[in-house]
Amino acid sequence: MKTTQTTRTQTDARCATSRGFSIALPALAPRNPLVAAARGRKAGVHQPSAGAERQAAKRELRTLMRDA
């Protein structure tokens, strides 16, 4: 008679699959910490955003309407 010894993780895995769900996470590659810092320093757009341009146009129109 052969006895097998199961670990807690094997038992938990069997219980999880019998309940109808399982989670499989892929092994992630280690990230380069210097890349995250460089992305934070990355230069942005050197022009106003579309919303800022719209607001400026609305302000200009209001001043033109008030002066006319």
Side-chain angles (χ1 to χ4, degrees), residues 15-57:
C15 289
T17 55
S18 67
R19 281 184 250 148
F21 67 91
S22 64
I23 298 173
L25 298 175
L28 297 175
R31 298 293 180 186
N32 184 352
L34 300 177
V35 171
R39 283 190 177 194
R41 290 190 304 270
K42 187 169 67 169
V45 179
H46 294 276
Q47 62 187 11
S49 65
E53 289 180 1
R54 237 185 346 266
Q55 287 178 357

